[in-house]
């Protein structure tokens, strides 16, 4: 691993970012329900806010990735944290739903954290250690949620807007921390062009996924090439749809299935995040080293699908906890898949391709929250079955895993044959 201290700085930044997000997750249903005075309307507005964020992220993420290749990762990351802080302040101070929609959309336009984190790690971590590094980032995300939902639930019991103020302060603190101590991982490369084509997300995605294979002269290590990266991108898309479906309705599911209050929801989410963080930090590296990127990604996807299907039929807290634990065990799959993708990209294109992949995920985020919210409301009112939507999430997880199974691992004979 090169410049190991940079990874430590990045993990702290990710932790602060996700701590702020975790603060507001358990309180969002109460806030939107109070504003709309209608539970079904609160779910739909929650989906609309998520979709607007995803739409702007889709439009801008490829350009942000390209900018990070040209000017460096650090400025994009700091701007992203600052914009998110402004968004949380707007949630706390703005009483109108349409104003919230505007600010949340603008925050989506600045949301480059995922793109920059993935590209940053590819800059400073050797390929053989990337799965472990992505696992550590997953642990930092999880640890942020350990403190976040617990504190958010407690603060929300005092004042529904208080967690949003706390989240804004943490985002600004993370940006300030990064300004002073986070080093740049990749100096700007003036040879990376910026153009109107790269500002068009559809063109940027097509260009990234149809580029010559990473093994061309000067492009870094051999990679999966056009066909392999395309399948990995679709697998990532289906996995993101599954994950976003779960995230969009999870707190509502806990509230309506078991009648839990915001404090209870926050504690359950914190316990799950703590278990996931510990597993990501301690087990991902050894598991992926033993299985390899492909087998680990496939195994994790299958375990995740079974967990989601189990949650759909969970009728007691004990069943819920058991299938949650199973989902935690499958957590190594996402780190393995991300490591696989990063090894399929040339050193000079990490930001560009990661930005395109972020845009693909954002396209799903534009549609999934609304679709999941509508499906949840329909299942709740028509069949009194709030967990039914998780079966759809499980189906997407299976589809993602099937694509991974059919994609040759980097450097294999099948991969090289498909690239010619």
């Amino acid at each position: 691993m090169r410049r190991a201290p940079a990874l430590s700085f990045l993990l702290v930044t990710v932790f602060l970012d996700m701590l702020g997000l975790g603060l507001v997750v358990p309180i969002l249903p109460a806030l939107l329900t109070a504003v709309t005075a209608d539970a079904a309307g609160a779910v739909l507005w929650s989906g609309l806010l998520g979709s607007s964020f995803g739409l702007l992220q889709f439009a801008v993420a490829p350009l942000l990735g390209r900018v990070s290749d040209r000017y460096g990762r650090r400025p994009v990351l700091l701007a992203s944290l600052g914009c998110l802080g402004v968004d949380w302040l707007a949630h706390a101070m703005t009483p109108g739903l349409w104003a919230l929609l505007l600010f949340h959309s603008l925050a989506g336009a600045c949301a480059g954290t995922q793109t920059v984190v993935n590209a940053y790690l590819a800059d400073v971590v050797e390929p053989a250690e990337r799965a472990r590094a992505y696992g550590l980032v997953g642990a930092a995300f999880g640890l942020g949620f350990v403190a976040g939902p617990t504190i958010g639930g407690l603060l929300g019991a005092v004042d529904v807007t208080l967690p949003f103020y706390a989240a804004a302060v943490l985002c600004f603190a993370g940006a300030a921390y990064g300004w002073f101590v986070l080093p740049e991982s990749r100096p700007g490369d003036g040879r990376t062009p910026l153009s109107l084509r790269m500002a068009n997300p559809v063109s940027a995605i097509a260009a990234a996924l149809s580029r010559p294979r990473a093994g061309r002269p000067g492009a870094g290590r051999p990679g999966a090439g056009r066909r392999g990266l395309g399948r990995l991108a679709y697998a990532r898309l289906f996995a993101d749809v599954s994950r976003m479906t779960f995230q969009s309705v999870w707190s509502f599911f806990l509230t309506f299935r078991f009648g839990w209050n915001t404090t209870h929801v926050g504690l359950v989410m914190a316990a799950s995040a703590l278990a996931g963080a510990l597993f990501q930090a301690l087990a991902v590296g050894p598991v992926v080293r033993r299985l390899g990127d492909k087998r680990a990604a496939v195994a994790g996807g299958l375990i995740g699908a079974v967990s989601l299907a189990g949650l759909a039929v969970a009728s007691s807290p004990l069943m819920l906890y058991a299938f949650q634990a199973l989902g935690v065990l499958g957590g190594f799959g996402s780190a393995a898949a991300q490591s696989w993708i990063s090894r399929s990209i040339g050193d000079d294109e990490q930001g560009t391709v990661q930005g395109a992949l972020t845009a693909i995920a954002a396209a799903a985020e534009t549609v999934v929250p609304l679709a999941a919210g509508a499906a949840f409301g329909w299942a709740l009112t028509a069949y009194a079955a709030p967990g039914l939507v998780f079966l759809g999430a499980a189906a997407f997880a299976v589809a993602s895993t099937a694509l991974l199974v059919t994609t040759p691992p980097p450097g294999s004979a099948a991969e090289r044959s498909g690239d010619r």
Side-chain angles (χ1 to χ4, degrees):
M1 183 181 297
R2 307 187 309 272
R3 300 170 62 189
L7 178 60
S8 300
F9 297 148
L10 185 62
L11 293 177
V12 171
T13 303
V14 169
F15 172 78
L16 290 175
D17 184 23
M18 298 312 297
L19 179 64
L21 181 61
L23 279 171
V24 304
V25 168
I27 206 65
L28 190 59
L31 175 68
L32 293 178
T33 300
V35 174
T36 63
D38 175 62
V43 176
L44 289 176
W45 267 101
S46 176
L48 186 59
L49 288 172
S51 293
S52 67
F53 186 97
L55 179 61
L56 268 294
Q57 189 179 38
F58 165 76
V60 179
L63 181 60
L64 291 179
R66 194 73 167 180
V67 167
S68 77
D69 280 341
R70 182 177 175 90
Y71 297 109
R73 319 296 185 200
R74 184 173 177 270
V76 178
L77 178 60
L78 298 183
S80 298
L81 290 172
C83 286
L84 188 58
V86 172
D87 178 40
W88 293 137
L89 278 180
H91 276 73
M93 301 174 64
T94 305
L97 288 169
W98 289 105
L100 284 179
L101 183 64
L102 172 63
F103 279 104
H104 208 56
S105 300
L106 292 176
C110 299
T113 303
Q114 178 182 349
T115 297
V116 178
V117 166
N118 291 339
Y120 197 113
L121 287 177
D123 292 337
V124 301
V125 180
E126 297 297 336
E129 294 295 321
R130 285 182 190 169
R132 173 179 175 273
Y134 288 123
L136 290 174
V137 169
F141 273 79
L143 289 175
F145 270 102
V146 170
T150 304
I151 298 173
L154 295 174
L155 292 178
V158 177
D159 188 318
V160 74
T161 64
L162 197 55
F164 295 96
Y165 283 113
V169 169
L170 289 171
C171 286
F172 292 137
Y177 175 83
W179 178 269
F180 289 107
V181 302
L182 184 68
E184 179 58 72
S185 66
R186 175 181 170 84
D189 182 1
R191 296 172 300 176
T192 301
L194 293 176
S195 64
L196 291 176
R197 183 187 180 200
M198 296 310 300
N200 181 333
V202 176
S203 297
I205 292 170
L209 298 185
S210 64
R211 86 229 188 285
R213 70 185 183 95
R216 73 190 189 281
R221 293 171 297 276
R226 289 189 283 267
R227 292 177 58 195
L229 183 59
R231 281 196 291 264
L232 290 176
Y234 281 113
R236 169 81 166 267
L237 170 62
F238 292 151
D240 284 337
V241 171
S242 176
R243 173 180 56 81
M244 291 171 194
T245 300
F246 172 81
Q247 292 177 346
S248 297
V249 302
W250 179 234
S251 57
F252 292 99
F253 170 78
L254 294 177
T255 299
F256 290 109
R257 169 61 68 87
F258 300 106
W260 293 344
N261 58 28
T262 57
T263 301
H264 198 165
V265 170
L267 290 173
V268 169
M269 294 175 69
S272 177
L274 177 59
L278 291 175
F279 185 80
Q280 291 271 345
L282 300 176
V284 166
V287 169
V288 177
R289 277 196 300 271
R290 183 176 182 84
L291 297 179
D293 286 344
K294 176 173 180 174
R295 285 189 291 177
V298 169
L302 289 175
I303 293 172
V306 173
S307 172
L308 287 167
L311 290 173
V313 299
S315 57
S316 68
L318 184 60
M319 290 180 65
L320 178 83
Y321 300 147
F323 284 112
Q324 272 190 295
L326 185 63
V328 167
L329 292 179
F332 58 82
S334 59
Q338 182 56 49
S339 174
W340 187 355
I341 290 172
S342 74
R343 296 175 68 154
S344 303
I345 305 170
D347 293 339
D348 58 342
E349 326 180 89
Q350 289 289 339
T352 299
V353 176
Q354 296 291 353
L357 293 175
T358 299
I360 292 171
E365 190 172 348
T366 303
V367 177
V368 170
L370 280 176
F376 180 85
W378 168 76
L380 183 65
T381 56
Y383 297 100
L388 192 61
V389 68
F390 292 148
L391 289 179
F396 276 101
V398 170
S400 173
T401 305
L403 283 169
L404 294 175
V405 169
T406 61
T407 304
S412 67
E415 182 272 324
R416 291 190 297 270
S417 175
D419 227 10
R420 288 194 289 269

